[in-house]
Amino acid sequence: MPDTCRIIALGGLGEVGKNMTVYECDGAIIVVDAGLAFPRDEHLGVDLVLPDFSYLRERADSIRAVILTHGHEDHVGSLPYLMREVPIPEVWATRLTLGLVKSKLDEHGLLRAAELREVHPDDPPRELGPFRISFVRMAHSIPDSAAVVVETPAGRIVHTGDYKLDHTPVDGLKTDVGKLAELGNRGVDLLLGDSTEAFRQIFPLREGRILVASFASNVHRMQQAVDVAVDLGRKVCIVGRSMRKNTNIARNLGYMEVPEGVLVRPPELEEIPPNEQLILCTGSQGEPLSALTRIAYNDHPAIHVERGDTVIISAKPVPGNELRVHDTINQLAKTGAEVLHQEIAPVHVSGHACAEELRTLLALVRPRAVMPIHGEFRMLAAHGQLAREAGVPAANIVLADNGSVVELSRDGVRIVDEIKTGVTFVDGLGVGDVHDVALRDRRRLSEDGVLIVVATVAASDDGTAGPTELIARGFGDGSGELLEELREEADRVLQDLLRNDIIEIKLLQEHLHDELGQLVYDRTHRRPMILPVVVEV
C-alpha cells in the first residue's frame, strides 16, 4: 500500500537479546540491528541463539542495508550468520561499531561481502531508497551508540537502540537531548523505545484480586498481608501445601493471628468478588509445581488471574532461579495482571534507562505512537504504562510479539498481520541443525545419564546369545548391584526372545529397551537414555 511502512521484529520482543527489526516500505527493506542471544539452561550444547532469517531470505532482493545502533553482541552478533545466508548490499554503523563488526566479519571471511559505510550522528540525512536515514548520539555502556531516525512516506520513526540519559558518561559524549527535542518539535509519528530496565513498579489502584507470593516460611510477611487484607475488608485464601501447613503451625503457636471469618478455602473464591480477595501463595522462586506457577499458566483448579488483578512477588530470586521467576512474571503479564516485584537487575542494566529517564525521553520526543522494544514482556508492558502516563493514547501503544506485522500509516499504527518467526541455534560449526528432539535427548542425558547395552547373538536360526555388556555414564556409577541386576535382566530377556524364535534385531532392541527401562525406573525413579546395541556374529 502507498504511504505505509511495515515494521516487523524478528527478535528482541518478549526477550532480552536477539534484537532485529525489519522496516519495509515501497518494496524496499532496511534492517536495524542483527543481534544474537546466549543459550538458556534448556539449550544444552548450543553455543548461540540467532533470529530466524527466513523472512529476509525470501525477500533478499528488496534489502537495501543493515543499520547497526551499537556494538553489543545482542545487536550485532548475528550479522555474519545473516550475511552467509542473505546478500546484504551495505552495512551502516558508527566508527567503533563498524570496527567491531569488521573484526567479526573478517573471522568469518566476509569482510568484502558488503559495503561497510561509516556514519556519524552529526551527518546530514542520507537517502536509502524510500527511506531517509539520520542518527542521534545516545549514551550507553559502549561508546558510539546511536538512535536511528527513519523517515518514510508514512511518517517519521525514531528507533532508540539502547541508551541512558547519562550526564557524566565515561567518554564525555552525552545523549543528544537537544536533537531529540528538535525531533519532537518536528513531529515523531512512532517511537520504538528500548525497554531493558528493571522498572520500579508502578503501584496502581488495586481493584481486582491481589495475589502475594512469598516463601512459605516467611510468617511475618504473611501476617502483614493478612493485616492489610483485614483493613481493606478482603477475605484471605492461602494456597500451596507448604504455606497452609506453616500458617497452621504459626497460628497454633501464637506467631500469627487471623481474625475469625477472614480465611476462606479456594473453592469459596467463586462466590467472592475479585476486589474482596487476597490470595497468599507459594511460588516466589518460579518453582515448576508451585501455586503461582500453576496460576500463571492457567493450570490451577480454583484460581486464575485476569486484567485488573495485581500480583506481588514478595521475595528476591535466589541466584540461579532468575529465569524461572522471569518466565512466571512474563506469563502473568500476558494475562493482563500487574506484576510488582523487587528490583531485579538484568545483566547490563547500568547501560539502560531507568523509568524516570524513559519518562524524560517520552517528554522530549512527544511521539504520537509508541512501540516498546528490546525487553521481556513485563518490561514492554511497564514501558507501555509509562507511555500512557505521558499522554500517549492507549490505542497508539503497540505491545507486539516477534513476528507481529505493525503497520504505520497517516491513520496511525496497528498490528495487521503475523509472520512465522523462530530461532536458529548455532552448535559448534553447525547453524540451524539442532532440533527439538536433539535438545530433548541432551536434556535427558544431562539429568539421568545413559545406559548402553551391548549384546551378541549368533546368526544361526536357533541364535544363541553371548554375555551382555553394560556401559553406564551419569547413571548407576558405583552402583554395582544395580548394574549386575540389569545385566541378568538383559540376559533373561534375550534368552526368552530367542527361545520364542524372535531373532529380528529391531525387536530384540525394542524389548531390551523397554524391559531395562522399566527395571531402572522401578529401582531408581530415573529415566536414563537406554541404547541397546545387538550385534550378530
Side-chain angles (χ1 to χ4, degrees), residues 190-203:
L190 178 62
L191 173 71
L192 275 75
D194 171 30
S195 307
T196 312
E197 195 271 333
F199 285 97
R200 291 180 183 86
Q201 297 295 332
I202 306 139
F203 282 78

Side-chain angles (χ1 to χ4, degrees), residues 73-315:
E73 288 291 294
D74 59 334
H75 290 258
V76 303
S78 69
L79 183 64
Y81 301 97
L82 173 65
M83 289 173 62
R84 274 192 207 171
E85 294 189 35
V86 183
I88 303 295
E90 299 180 5
V91 176
W92 293 20
T94 54
R95 190 177 181 195
L96 175 65
T97 307
L98 207 58
L100 296 170
V101 164
K102 279 181 180 174
S103 169
K104 196 179 293 289
L105 294 178
D106 196 22
E107 286 174 21
H108 287 258
L110 293 167
L111 202 49
R112 289 179 172 77
E115 184 181 339
L116 305 179
R117 299 185 59 172
E118 184 180 315
V119 299
H120 191 276
D122 294 335
D123 289 346
R126 301 185 186 187
E127 305 290 335
L128 193 57
F131 304 101
R132 201 160 176 260
I133 308 296
S134 57
F135 299 87
V136 182
R137 182 188 299 113
M138 304 296 268
H140 185 39
S141 52
I142 185 171
D144 254 5
S145 300
V148 183
V149 182
V150 184
E151 298 191 43
T152 75
R156 183 176 292 112
I157 304 167
V158 174
H159 187 123
T160 67
D162 293 353
Y163 71 93
K164 267 186 85 70
L165 301 182
D166 194 342
H167 299 299
T168 55
V170 174
D171 60 6
L173 297 173
K174 304 173 188 176
T175 293
D176 193 342
V177 292
K179 198 165 183 179
L180 290 171
E182 182 190 325
L183 283 165
N185 290 337
R186 287 163 54 199
V188 172
D189 296 288
L190 178 62
L191 173 71
L192 275 75
D194 171 30
S195 307
T196 312
E197 195 271 333
F199 285 97
R200 291 180 183 86
Q201 297 295 332
I202 306 139
F203 282 78
L205 291 170
R206 297 182 187 87
E207 295 173 355
R209 54 180 67 77
I210 300 173
L211 286 82
V212 177
S214 74
F215 286 113
S217 56
N218 198 334
V219 173
H220 288 307
R221 191 67 45 83
M222 289 191 280
Q223 180 68 68
Q224 288 171 331
V226 168
D227 291 345
V228 172
V230 171
D231 290 344
L232 295 173
R234 289 178 181 254
K235 300 291 186 184
V236 177
C237 180
I238 296 174
V239 185
R241 187 175 55 82
S242 55
M243 188 168 276
R244 283 200 309 273
K245 184 177 74 173
N246 288 1
T247 303
N248 288 336
I249 293 169
R251 291 180 75 193
N252 289 339
L253 295 177
Y255 287 98
M256 193 171 166
E257 291 182 10
V258 183
E260 282 296 317
V262 169
L263 287 182
V264 296
R265 291 158 45 89
E268 296 173 57
L269 292 173
E270 281 189 21
E271 309 299 322
I272 300 169
N275 63 352
E276 294 176 21
Q277 299 178 19
L278 174 72
I279 297 159
L280 294 177
C281 62
T282 53
S284 62
Q285 299 301 306
E287 305 93 325
L289 299 177
S290 67
L292 186 64
T293 303
R294 293 185 66 192
I295 292 166
Y297 286 87
N298 202 24
D299 186 40
H300 197 279
I303 297 167
H304 69 282
V305 293
E306 58 195 9
R307 187 169 299 283
D309 293 348
T310 303
V311 181
I312 300 168
I313 298 181
S314 185

Side-chain angles (χ1 to χ4, degrees), residues 29-52:
I29 286 176
I30 60 169
V31 182
V32 174
D33 287 334
L36 54 74
F38 293 100
R40 292 167 61 137
D41 291 350
E42 65 265 29
H43 297 145
L44 298 165
V46 171
D47 299 316
L48 304 170
V49 183
L50 313 177
D52 181 351

